[in-house]
Amino acid sequence: MSAEPLPTSDVIGLTKVAPFSRRGFMTASAAVTAGYTLAAGPVRADVIKTDTKGLATGDARIKVADGEMPCYFARPAGVSNPPAVLVAMEIFGLHEYIKDVTRRLAKLGAFAVAPDYYFRKADLTKITDIPQLLPIVNSKPDAELLSDLDSTVAWAKSEGGDTSRLGIIGFCRGGRTVWEYAAHSSALKACAAFYGPLVDPPNPVWPKSPTQLAGEMKAPVLGLYGEADTGIPVATVKAFKAALAANKKTAEFKIYPAAPHGFHADYRPSYRKDAAEDAWSHMQTWFRKYGVLS
């Protein structure tokens, strides 16, 4: 009998958010109809909805080593050579929040692509509870993940994206993905990790945690964290910041007072509008400074 996977710091942060009232939240059936994953918990009725006006959006398939990986993309319509930005999702799959973030980036002028790199095991958007999700997402090998992201970059380039202005943004588990990819890809110009875990539980398919990769970062990274994140202590963030500085890596951190894990996720009870808007603004400034966004 195999051991249960340990909860990772992102899951701890997600499941220990302050109590909330059901008022102001969609019913489960409405949330599913709107494209959200039930395992993510209750969905706020006033989620942010970004329209497709002025954008070309859609689903596509990306050739990877062993098949075709689904993705969602959004780009400014009729614009040639827009900068390419990868969107690394949380553990809930390619659901509406991630698609909306992709459209928000396209409104800023980017060719944004969110790859569904868990596709080999399951469509995570159809899974209804976190304990079912964990064995799937925790068994994703980093080597395969990084290869999938490389394939996504190649696809974006083949579709007219300017990968000489490549960025990556990720949330929760996708924030960890940002740190891992920043240590892997020399093509990146800038990266933004929203509350990505920095220290992993023991996992043979994850050889090095972000903290262990401090000396290998190949691009400037912005780390956006919540002071009240129960899964990622501020002390861990500060230790990582010090390790990056010791290795002379370009990184900046912002820790939002009283903000929990998932503070940018406008569909969840963890959403904190002020922190989310400030972090999004910081990300844009960072991407402009390092030549991803114009």
Side-chain angles (χ1 to χ4, degrees):
M1 187 170 150
S2 65
E4 279 298 301
L6 289 164
T8 47
S9 48
D10 50 343
V11 174
I12 293 165
L14 280 171
T15 51
K16 290 190 179 174
V17 173
F20 63 94
S21 142
R22 290 268 162 187
R23 284 177 55 198
F25 288 83
M26 297 183 192
T27 62
S29 57
V32 170
T33 302
Y36 294 92
T37 304
L38 278 182
V43 174
R44 295 173 67 250
D46 55 346
V47 290
I48 295 171
K49 292 190 177 75
T50 304
D51 63 45
T52 57
K53 190 176 178 188
L55 305 180
T57 66
D59 302 297
R61 293 195 167 265
I62 295 169
K63 200 167 169 49
V64 289
D66 54 352
E68 290 190 321
M69 174 172 63
C71 75
Y72 178 81
F73 71 88
R75 61 187 295 169
V79 173
S80 59
N81 291 325
V85 177
L86 306 184
V87 181
M89 58 195 176
E90 323 138 303
I91 64 171
F92 304 116
L94 193 44
H95 70 150
E96 185 54 30
Y97 164 65
I98 295 300
K99 291 179 177 181
D100 202 274
V101 166
T102 305
R103 293 192 293 274
R104 291 174 214 176
L105 287 162
K107 295 272 187 181
L108 298 175
F111 180 178
V113 191
D116 182 7
Y117 37 68
Y118 297 113
F119 78 100
R120 294 171 184 84
K121 296 282 179 74
D123 177 354
L124 302 187
T125 67
K126 302 287 189 279
I127 294 176
T128 54
D129 63 73
I130 286 180
Q132 273 183 287
L133 277 174
L134 282 185
I136 297 169
V137 296
N138 289 346
S139 66
K140 174 74 177 179
D142 279 345
E144 185 181 77
L145 172 66
L146 300 172
S147 172
D148 287 345
L149 293 172
D150 285 344
S151 296
T152 305
V153 174
W155 179 83
K157 185 175 184 177
S158 75
E159 293 292 318
D162 183 359
T163 54
S164 73
R165 293 187 288 158
L166 178 66
I168 185 171
I169 179 174
F171 306 87
C172 197
R173 180 66 59 86
R176 176 191 181 273
T177 296
V178 168
W179 291 113
E180 296 287 320
Y181 200 56
H184 164 80
S185 172
S186 52
L188 284 165
K189 287 289 181 283
C191 319
F194 285 71
Y195 34 86
L198 301 172
V199 179
D200 301 327
N203 187 335
V205 298
W206 299 350
K208 287 186 177 180
S209 70
T211 295
Q212 291 170 306
L213 292 167
E216 297 177 40
M217 295 296 151
K218 295 175 175 62
V221 189
L222 174 66
L224 301 156
Y225 288 83
E227 182 189 44
D229 191 328
T230 54
I232 306 171
V234 169
T236 306
V237 179
K238 288 183 173 173
F240 185 45
K241 180 181 178 181
L244 290 166
N247 282 282
K248 296 184 167 51
K249 299 300 178 184
T250 303
E252 192 175 290
F253 288 82
K254 184 144 188 191
I255 298 171
Y256 290 92
H261 191 80
F263 64 78
H264 185 271
D266 53 83
Y267 68 101
R268 293 178 59 86
S270 57
Y271 179 57
R272 298 294 181 270
K273 186 174 187 286
D274 289 352
E277 290 178 355
D278 186 80
W280 189 254
S281 172
H282 246 66
M283 175 277 296
Q284 292 178 58
T285 301
W286 191 253
F287 277 13
R288 289 194 177 99
K289 181 177 181 178
Y290 292 104
V292 175
L293 295 175
S294 303

